Amino acid sequence: NTKHERVILLTSTHGAETHGLSAAIATIKELQKKNVVAHINKIGLELKRRINLIHEKRGLENTMQIIGERGCRLALVVKDYGEYDSAQIKTYFLQELISQGVLFNGYFASSFSHGRSEVERTVDAWDYACGKLKLALDKKSLKNKL
């Protein structure tokens, strides 16, 4: 206790970041209002289902598989096939996928902007690339195509 005025200095690394908190709150409200999480999960799981069907159709289900339980966290698993290792297979597959205008690195990053047309384009490109891959594996010509 004193009769004199006391000065207290309070510092904080992010103490003045109220605009960041406001932006976070506004973003969360938008995500909830537009049901963004459900949309991303739905799009991703549809891609997983349809792409794994392509693997079965092309006879690649033991070599390639999309894994993941949530539509926002899916990845491609590639296994060896005959004389070819998984790195060779994945490299050739990605090469053919890119030739169809789909850039992919092995992980799906679905977003709110992805809709029906993006799913169809991805599925069509995937089917094409799987067809080319299966042909190269069966003809044992994959190394020459890299």
Side-chain angles (χ1 to χ4, degrees):
N1 290 330
T2 179
K3 292 181 182 182
H4 301 288
E5 185 176 327
R6 296 177 99 185
V7 176
I8 297 175
L9 178 59
L10 177 64
T11 64
S12 173
T13 302
H14 302 290
E17 296 292 329
T18 56
H19 60 285
L21 292 172
S22 290
I25 291 167
T27 300
I28 291 168
K29 286 180 181 177
E30 261 321 275
L31 292 172
Q32 291 171 334
K33 182 172 92 176
K34 293 182 178 176
N35 212 8
V36 173
V37 174
H39 173 80
I40 291 171
N41 195 50
K42 180 180 175 186
I43 288 292
L45 291 178
E46 181 179 347
L47 273 170
K48 176 186 174 182
R49 181 185 64 78
R50 291 183 65 188
I51 287 172
N52 281 333
L53 285 174
I54 291 169
H55 297 156
E56 289 176 25
K57 175 181 96 173
R58 296 288 186 176
L60 294 167
E61 69 274 12
N62 293 322
T63 305
M64 297 175 70
Q65 182 184 17
I66 301 298
I67 62 165
E69 298 303 315
R70 301 222 180 258
C72 63
R73 295 187 59 148
L74 301 174
L76 173 64
V77 174
V78 180
K79 297 178 183 171
D80 297 350
Y81 183 101
E83 66 189 71
Y84 302 111
D85 65 40
S86 62
Q88 293 169 316
I89 294 166
K90 184 177 180 183
T91 300
Y92 179 68
F93 175 75
L94 295 180
Q95 173 184 301
E96 293 305 315
L97 201 56
I98 289 168
S99 80
Q100 298 303 298
V102 174
L103 182 60
F104 181 73
N105 68 354
Y107 177 80
F108 286 94
S110 300
S111 75
F112 190 62
S113 66
H114 293 127
R116 194 76 18 233
S117 64
E118 289 78 17
V119 169
E120 293 306 321
R121 182 170 183 194
T122 303
V123 167
D124 290 346
W126 204 280
D127 191 36
Y128 171 86
C130 281
K132 298 287 277 188
L133 174 63
K134 182 65 169 152
L135 189 62
L137 292 171
D138 289 348
K139 289 189 171 189
K140 299 185 188 237
S141 62
L142 188 135
K143 285 182 185 175
N144 295 332
K145 295 181 179 293
L146 290 171

